[in-house]
Amino acid sequence: MIIVLSGTREGREISYLLAAKGYEVFTVTAVEHGSRMVISNALTEAFEKQPVKDGLEKLIKNGSVRMVIDTTHPYPEGISTLAKELCRKNHIKYVRFVREEVDLPESPLLFPVYSWDEAAEKAAELGNTIFLTTGSYNLESFLKHPGMTGKRIIVRVLPDHQVIEKVQSLGIAPKNIVAMQGPFSKEINKATFKMYNSSVIVTKDSGNAGGTDNKISVALNLKIPVVVIKRPKLKEDDTNIVYTYNQVFSLISPY
């Protein structure tokens, strides 16, 4: 059995491709703000929901797992850290699929940072209407930053009632919540950034596949500064880091 830690387009595609090749595949996706997970069989579409730590540990320890393929977003790292440690303890191959980072163009309007607090600080310096395209994760880092006092914060999140409830519970007014499901075209990004009179855009570096280049291009054309949160550095120790589907499949073939 192969476990795919998903929640991304690549995770879904890898799961279906492996199932089509005849492998037994289980896809694990964290839900409810990462507190629980959904386990789905790529062939039967049967679902089971349970706490992440207990469920993942039970799945990995069942004795028939040959590999865990981690395609999750690099933000947050919680489920990846847990899976990697469980694989190490149980002598199971762990493979980390990573999107290529965006090659940032030269521009005085681009500000790469390496932490959420740094992003909040820089965004507060750059403008008064801050448009967050980073979802609900780590929203508290922006809201609690002293530099955000008096700033208008716009958040673009998934149109999920639990996510919206979380955002509202943190004090974001409904008029400042953009509940939309991506991917977003340049036209939609342009219209949204302009509609809210955004003075600064904040984005994670989710690679071109995640639309980061699209957002940056639109913002720069509108002369809006962009704060780009770069990914956490991956440790090269005992992790098989891959960037293409073929690399994933090549690591499975020896089994």
Side-chain angles (χ1 to χ4, degrees), residues 64-133:
S64 63
V65 177
R66 61 167 65 178
M67 178 183 289
V68 172
I69 303 171
D70 185 356
T71 71
T72 59
H73 289 291
Y75 328 83
E77 295 182 280
I79 192 170
S80 296
T81 302
L82 173 63
K84 186 176 177 182
E85 180 62 18
L86 286 171
C87 286
R88 185 188 65 79
K89 288 181 178 179
N90 292 278
H91 308 290
I92 295 170
K93 184 182 285 292
Y94 172 89
V95 176
R96 185 70 168 101
F97 180 91
V98 181
R99 289 174 177 172
E100 294 281 5
E101 290 187 290
V102 170
D103 186 13
L104 297 179
E106 291 289 335
S107 172
L109 294 176
L110 275 181
F111 300 88
V113 298
Y114 294 89
S115 73
W116 294 89
D117 287 339
E118 190 182 356
E121 183 174 352
K122 178 56 68 176
E125 292 175 4
L126 292 169
N128 291 318
T129 301
I130 299 162
F131 195 112
L132 302 180
T133 68

Side-chain angles (χ1 to χ4, degrees), residues 187-215:
E187 290 75 19
I188 290 177
N189 277 328
K190 180 178 180 179
T192 311
F193 295 165
K194 289 181 67 176
M195 182 172 69
Y196 286 91
N197 295 314
S198 308
S199 50
V200 56
I201 307 298
V202 179
T203 181
K204 298 176 292 189
D205 186 348
S206 300
N208 292 340
T212 302
D213 57 334
N214 180 319
K215 287 181 279 187

Side-chain angles (χ1 to χ4, degrees), residues 24-184:
E24 182 185 13
V25 181
F26 278 83
T27 303
V28 174
T29 306
V31 295
E32 296 176 12
H33 314 308
S35 64
R36 299 176 72 79
M37 69 180 194
V38 172
I39 302 172
S40 60
N41 183 305
L43 295 176
T44 65
E45 296 297 320
F47 294 89
E48 178 184 355
K49 186 183 291 186
Q50 55 188 284
V52 168
K53 187 177 186 303
D54 296 341
L56 193 57
E57 188 168 12
K58 186 188 303 180
L59 198 58
I60 286 178
K61 285 185 173 180
N62 78 356
S64 63
V65 177
R66 61 167 65 178
M67 178 183 289
V68 172
I69 303 171
D70 185 356
T71 71
T72 59
H73 289 291
Y75 328 83
E77 295 182 280
I79 192 170
S80 296
T81 302
L82 173 63
K84 186 176 177 182
E85 180 62 18
L86 286 171
C87 286
R88 185 188 65 79
K89 288 181 178 179
N90 292 278
H91 308 290
I92 295 170
K93 184 182 285 292
Y94 172 89
V95 176
R96 185 70 168 101
F97 180 91
V98 181
R99 289 174 177 172
E100 294 281 5
E101 290 187 290
V102 170
D103 186 13
L104 297 179
E106 291 289 335
S107 172
L109 294 176
L110 275 181
F111 300 88
V113 298
Y114 294 89
S115 73
W116 294 89
D117 287 339
E118 190 182 356
E121 183 174 352
K122 178 56 68 176
E125 292 175 4
L126 292 169
N128 291 318
T129 301
I130 299 162
F131 195 112
L132 302 180
T133 68
T134 50
S136 62
Y137 176 69
N138 254 346
L139 179 56
E140 296 90 338
S141 296
F142 290 89
L143 298 178
K144 293 179 180 179
H145 193 280
M148 289 295 171
T149 303
K151 307 287 186 180
R152 184 188 184 194
I153 298 178
I154 312 297
V155 296
R156 187 163 72 186
V157 296
L158 290 171
D160 177 271
H161 74 279
Q162 290 183 323
V163 173
I164 294 171
E165 284 177 3
K166 174 193 174 182
V167 171
Q168 287 185 302
S169 72
L170 292 172
I172 300 293
K175 66 179 181 180
N176 294 330
I177 300 173
V178 183
M180 299 176 69
Q181 174 82 50
F184 303 106

Side-chain angles (χ1 to χ4, degrees), residues 103-112 126 216-217 219-228:
D103 186 13
L104 297 179
E106 291 289 335
S107 172
L109 294 176
L110 275 181
F111 300 88
L126 292 169
I216 289 174
S217 174
L220 294 184
N221 284 333
L222 294 172
K223 308 301 181 187
I224 302 173
V226 185
V227 177
V228 183

